[in-house]
Amino acid sequence: MSDTMLIDAEFVGEQNANLEADLRADFDHLGTQLERRGVDIDAIVKRIQAFHVAIPTWGVGTGGTRFARFPMSGEPRNIFERLEDCAVVQQLGRATPAVSPHIPWDRVDDVAALRRHAEALGLGFAAVNSNTFQDQPGQTHSYKYGSLTHTDSAVRAQAIAHNLECIAIGEQLGSTALTVWIADGSNFPGQQHFTRTLEHYLESMREIYARLPKGWRLLLEHKLYEPALYATVIADWGTSYVCAESLGPKAQCLVDLGHHAPTVNVEMIVARLVQLGKLGGFHFNDSKYGDDDLDTGAIDPFRIFLVFNELVDAEWQEVDGFDPAYMLDQSHNVTDPIESLIESAAAVQRALAQALLVDRDALTAAQETNDALGAARLLREATQIDVEPIVQMVRAGGGGAIDPITVYRASGYRKRQANARTAERTGHSGIV
Ligand code: RM4
Ligand code: MN
Ligand code: MN
């Protein structure tokens, strides 16, 4: 991290000092427990240290629902301030060194200055997200009836041009991926011709694909419904897969955990996409009903674990080209987003750590001998081990906070920002 410590480093150090002895004792105890299972705790620590999950720039603003947004005092007013808040998440949590920007919410006149600002804060840029689900002021054509799949080629051309602009901005920021989620779909039976809309999508995406810079990938994000309430063009992983396959090797599928019907088995989708060589990335969040964008692990931590169980399995199998881009995608309506993001990144780290504890040889043996209970036990046991000391040790070792939420609250950061960030927000970010 740079010199620009947004929370006094000495203060973080003092707070850590009070907890170090307890952490050491907990960590050593866990190390002994894991040793008994044949697991080297230091290897797990190394793996968690190397694991990063990107923060969405829109996630540090207060989110909202269809009904209202309740802004918080001291929330960031522009992308420069959003990056400061992202840097606090990284300073204390040490799991989130990159941010995933959203264009045009994060559009600036001087992209190089934005990159310098991020670098000074110790942040890099992950996948760029395009936005053709809203009309922007001064835009020639409306996306009311679609964007990349619109019936009118002029609207499609505008949406393609926007995605190309996102790539150009991403290149200047040092990003290497474009994530495309479109809101295109219909509200009434018969409103759109299913086949023609998908053909338009593929034609449009081909033009974007053709302009991907070297080393870039195109991440296709599917979503079951909303805002379209009858039919969504890219509604499921199957459609997404078919499109990614038809576009070419640089196109892959992105799985947003909240973008499926409530009973769908998401971990199996993950396994299928791994098997098909098309798993490009994730948007982590949690949900109970729909695309709720709640904090990762807040509702069903076992589901996140099961997703990571598939990912660790893929690593263990040494699946060729397996390299998903990990991001959070959440909307923080009732919490301080900085706290939610720190907690969520830790929930992702915990899921990975627990998945690493699964005895893969034993699991394979249980599966091959149809030992259903034995297999289930191996997974359950891994989730019953409290891996918190590992996550805390990774944070402490990286210069973060052992107890980041307590340190953040005690730092008075938000209060300071409430006094400093008094003027109106410029630019818009977040849903609503
Ligand atoms: C969508 C989708 C996209 C995100 C927008 C804000 O539901 O999850 O990834 O960019 O919301
Ligand atoms: Mn998403
Ligand atoms: Mn979503």
Side-chain angles (χ1 to χ4, degrees):
M1 179 131 187
S2 71
D3 299 342
T4 329
M5 282 289 180
L6 294 156
I7 292 179
D8 183 37
E10 226 170 279
F11 177 68
V12 178
E14 284 161 19
Q15 300 279 314
N16 279 351
N18 298 329
L19 301 170
E20 256 154 33
D22 284 350
L23 172 56
R24 176 46 66 190
D26 291 348
F27 185 82
D28 289 346
H29 176 68
L30 178 59
T32 313
Q33 271 182 302
L34 295 186
E35 212 180 312
R36 236 180 280 137
R37 301 169 59 94
V39 176
D40 172 13
I41 196 167
D42 294 324
I44 310 281
V45 166
K46 274 213 189 88
R47 182 66 193 85
I48 304 295
Q49 271 168 343
F51 179 86
H52 297 137
V53 56
I55 317 181
T57 55
W58 61 100
V60 288
T62 310
T65 65
R66 286 195 294 132
F67 303 98
R69 193 180 85 88
F70 298 97
M72 175 185 57
S73 53
E75 71 175 316
R77 297 162 297 182
N78 53 53
I79 178 59
F80 289 91
E81 293 181 352
R82 283 198 281 282
L83 287 179
E84 287 171 11
D85 286 9
C86 292
V88 172
V89 175
Q90 166 62 356
Q91 185 193 348
L92 299 179
R94 298 288 159 165
T96 55
V99 300
S100 189
H102 218 297
I103 308 296
W105 295 340
D106 297 334
R107 188 185 269 132
V108 291
D109 294 334
D110 188 348
V111 181
L114 184 64
R115 184 174 182 165
R116 280 197 302 277
H117 182 68
E119 279 168 1
L121 291 165
L123 298 171
F125 287 93
V128 183
N129 300 265
S130 61
N131 177 341
T132 58
F133 50 85
Q134 292 172 319
D135 284 347
Q136 303 303 326
Q139 189 175 300
T140 313
H141 303 286
S142 171
Y143 294 133
K144 180 171 181 177
Y145 296 108
S147 59
L148 293 173
T149 77
H150 199 282
T151 49
D152 181 347
S153 63
V155 184
R156 298 199 298 274
Q158 179 182 279
I160 294 166
H162 166 69
N163 277 281
L164 297 182
E165 188 204 350
C166 288
I167 294 175
I169 294 172
E171 271 196 291
Q172 290 180 67
L173 291 175
S175 172
T176 55
L178 172 71
T179 300
V180 180
W181 171 68
I182 53 164
D184 298 28
S186 54
N187 276 5
F188 291 90
Q191 182 188 332
Q192 286 182 345
H193 191 270
F194 293 133
T195 310
R196 277 200 301 274
T197 43
L198 191 58
E199 271 167 8
H200 286 323
Y201 176 79
L202 281 168
E203 276 163 29
S204 298
M205 288 295 271
R206 260 183 215 117
E207 290 198 36
I208 298 166
Y209 185 95
R211 304 280 287 275
L212 284 175
K214 204 167 169 277
W216 271 59
R217 51 181 158 168
L218 184 57
L219 302 175
L220 281 50
E221 184 177 359
H222 61 273
K223 174 166 165 166
L224 178 62
Y225 77 98
E226 196 200 24
L229 298 172
Y230 165 66
T232 296
V233 182
I234 309 299
D236 52 26
W237 76 273
T239 309
S240 178
Y241 170 75
V242 166
C243 292
E245 187 58 27
S246 140
L247 287 168
K250 294 190 228 168
Q252 295 180 313
C253 306
L254 180 138
V255 178
D256 183 313
L257 296 194
H259 287 191
H260 313 91
T263 54
V264 161
N265 186 332
V266 178
E267 59 272 21
M268 195 171 78
I269 294 175
V270 172
R272 293 283 191 265
L273 288 172
V274 169
Q275 185 174 6
L276 296 163
K278 282 292 182 190
L279 183 70
F282 282 93
H283 277 176
F284 292 116
N285 49 54
D286 215 333
S287 57
K288 190 160 177 63
Y289 301 106
D291 188 23
D292 305 339
D293 284 334
L294 294 172
D295 292 12
T296 306
I299 303 289
D300 188 358
F302 190 55
R303 191 171 69 153
I304 316 285
F305 162 78
L306 291 174
V307 165
F308 271 93
N309 182 48
E310 296 308 320
L311 299 174
V312 170
D313 182 78
E315 269 178 23
W316 187 64
Q317 310 270 4
E318 296 179 3
V319 172
D320 209 26
F322 175 76
D323 182 24
Y326 299 106
M327 287 164 269
L328 297 170
D329 182 8
Q330 304 180 163
S331 177
H332 310 108
N333 305 346
V334 296
T335 56
D336 181 324
I338 289 181
E339 295 187 7
S340 274
L341 289 164
I342 292 172
E343 288 265 282
S344 302
V348 174
Q349 288 176 309
R350 259 194 305 275
L352 170 60
Q354 289 179 328
L356 289 165
L357 301 183
V358 174
D359 183 336
R360 305 259 148 216
D361 290 316
L363 183 60
T364 307
Q367 289 166 343
E368 291 306 309
T369 55
N370 300 307
D371 179 3
L373 192 92
R377 272 188 71 191
L378 286 164
L379 296 193
R380 184 173 46 74
E381 273 171 22
T383 64
Q384 282 168 346
I385 296 173
D386 180 7
V387 293
E388 194 59 23
I390 295 177
V391 174
Q392 291 180 352
M393 203 51 110
V394 168
R395 273 202 295 268
I402 294 174
D403 179 356
I405 302 297
T406 304
V407 172
Y408 172 71
R409 290 187 173 186
S411 76
Y413 176 81
R414 187 63 74 191
K415 205 158 172 235
R416 278 206 307 284
Q417 295 300 8
N419 294 327
R421 298 171 177 173
T422 45
E424 272 296 288
R425 294 200 308 169
T426 54
H428 169 91
S429 91
I431 313 147
V432 147

